[in-house]
């Protein structure tokens, strides 16, 4: 029976993994995030791999691996044209991002890295999913009211599609859960294809 | 200040309306659903209008309308080619629907009717949103395991995108919350355009 370890402290990723019926432990990666890539799809795979690798190494020093163990790392960013948006620095930064996103279409990228321990050699698989998100126009009052809820402050691109901001989302093309922070459809399929579920 | 009444007993619609910060009462429509239309988009608007009208009439007999009051009716169906899927009759019916949906793209339609009371004449607005949903192939074992969770039994098309079935969803085109049962993005925009929010 496979063991799963989520290398993320995000409550939203925890909820999504639970939603598809996977039991897992959490071991949070807290190392520095160093970006050497420029394409959004490369950046999220690099960062997810960094998180999964840090946790896999720590796991190996703390536990005896006596059954297949999958370490799951993930990273999410928002891209609008050439700008890449992570979490906002402060409320003013959140207002700036939302002003840029409103009325436009942007892309959300989540990279996922699976590191499989306990089956001989360490196996590493990285992939990403891209979702287009179309936002309705927002008034300045709507942006300020939303930032005042504090919901944007811990989220890439300064909004949570699963929160109050749903009122301002016209539609998406791609996986919704990828925007929330973990593409659990693709993740499940990758695990199933490797006989790990 | 506008008052809102949700004419639906669906816990998912309740959650979505709360998610965008609207305070409301619930008054469930329980009349017979009579369909005279054939197009999916017409069917959901007809049924949402039936529910909203029933509740609006009941509301007028029970309360004095002394401020703008919006009755919100909604109905959701799944369409695969020419087949229209409501809730399954039983577990065997759920298995049949899931076998048809897996590996394919289908459409989810939600119709919404807003009846505005308390501003003179009764105003009625109906609209619908359509979302394409692409499902990964599912094995017979995966379908049976999912139906065994009972999650499909109260849902149009026999699945809940917001539940365990997320593992089998490849992506969508359109509004995610429309698939859950209430397109709160469009709903908010319609209310805002009428100065009702």
């Amino acid at each position: 029976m496979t063991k799963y370890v989520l290398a993320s402290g995000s409550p939203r990723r925890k909820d999504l993994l639970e939603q598809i019926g996977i039991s897992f432990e959490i071991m949070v990666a807290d190392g520095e995030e160093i970006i050497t890539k420029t394409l959004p799809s490369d950046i999220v795979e690099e960062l997810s791999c960094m998180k999964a690798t840090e946790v896999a190494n720590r796991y190996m020093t703390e536990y005896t691996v006596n059954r297949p163990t999958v370490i799951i790392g993930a990273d999410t960013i928002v891209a609008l044209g050439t700008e890449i948006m992570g979490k906002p620095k402060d409320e003013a930064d959140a207002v700036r991002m939302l002003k840029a996103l409103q009325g436009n279409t942007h892309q959300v990228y989540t990279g996922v890295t699976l590191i499989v321990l306990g089956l001989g050699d360490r196996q590493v698989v990285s992939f990403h999913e891209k979702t287009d998100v179309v936002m309705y126009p927002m008034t300045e009052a709507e942006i300020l009211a939303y930032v005042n809820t504090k919901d944007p402050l811990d989220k890439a691109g300064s909004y949570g599609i699963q929160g109050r901001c749903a009122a301002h989302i016209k539609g998406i093309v791609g996986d919704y859960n990828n925007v929330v922070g973990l593409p659990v459809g693709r993740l499940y399929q990758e695990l199933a294809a490797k006989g790990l579920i």
Side-chain angles (χ1 to χ4, degrees), chain A:
Chain A
M1 198 184 146
T2 308
K3 183 172 177 182
Y4 306 93
V5 179
L6 177 62
S8 168
S10 155
R12 297 174 288 280
R13 294 198 178 109
K14 173 177 177 288
D15 289 348
L16 282 169
L17 213 46
E18 285 172 349
Q19 184 184 316
I20 63 164
I22 290 183
S23 299
F24 57 94
E25 287 177 24
I26 292 174
M27 192 178 268
V28 180
D30 50 16
E32 200 183 348
E33 297 183 359
I34 299 156
I35 301 174
T36 67
K37 309 287 187 182
T38 48
L39 283 179
S41 55
D42 292 340
I43 292 173
V44 290
E45 289 198 16
E46 179 172 50
L47 291 176
S48 69
C49 189
M50 216 172 279
K51 293 176 183 178
T53 303
E54 179 194 323
V55 168
N57 292 343
R58 199 185 332 148
Y59 190 88
M60 297 287 278
T61 66
E62 293 183 18
Y63 296 91
T64 303
V65 180
N66 51 15
R67 57 177 165 137
T69 300
V70 182
I71 315 293
I72 304 167
D75 192 80
T76 302
I77 60 172
V78 165
L80 177 71
T82 56
E83 188 186 358
I84 291 184
M85 298 176 177
K87 295 174 187 173
K89 290 193 297 283
D90 52 28
E91 296 191 16
D93 200 29
V95 170
R96 183 191 63 78
M97 288 186 197
L98 287 166
K99 279 187 178 171
L101 295 176
Q102 64 82 30
N104 280 321
T105 299
H106 63 269
Q107 285 71 45
V108 180
Y109 291 84
T110 295
V112 177
T113 296
L114 307 177
I115 297 183
V116 187
L117 308 172
L119 293 174
D121 287 345
R122 180 185 286 208
Q123 297 171 34
V124 181
V125 183
S126 292
F127 59 87
H128 72 273
E129 288 278 317
K130 182 191 81 159
T131 306
D132 294 319
V133 179
V134 186
M135 291 188 81
Y136 285 111
M138 292 175 79
T139 63
E140 177 134 8
E142 286 172 335
I143 290 174
L144 294 176
Y146 180 49
V147 173
N148 272 338
T149 67
K150 313 288 185 199
D151 188 50
L153 298 181
D154 66 338
K155 297 184 178 72
S158 303
Y159 74 95
I161 197 169
Q162 73 285 358
R164 194 165 186 143
C165 200
H168 307 291
I169 306 291
K170 189 171 166 76
I172 70 171
V173 179
D175 179 22
Y176 174 86
N177 296 318
N178 190 52
V179 184
V180 181
L182 193 65
V184 284
R186 174 78 179 272
L187 175 61
Y188 175 91
Q189 302 298 322
E190 296 278 346
L191 292 171
K194 293 183 193 329
L196 289 166
I197 214 157

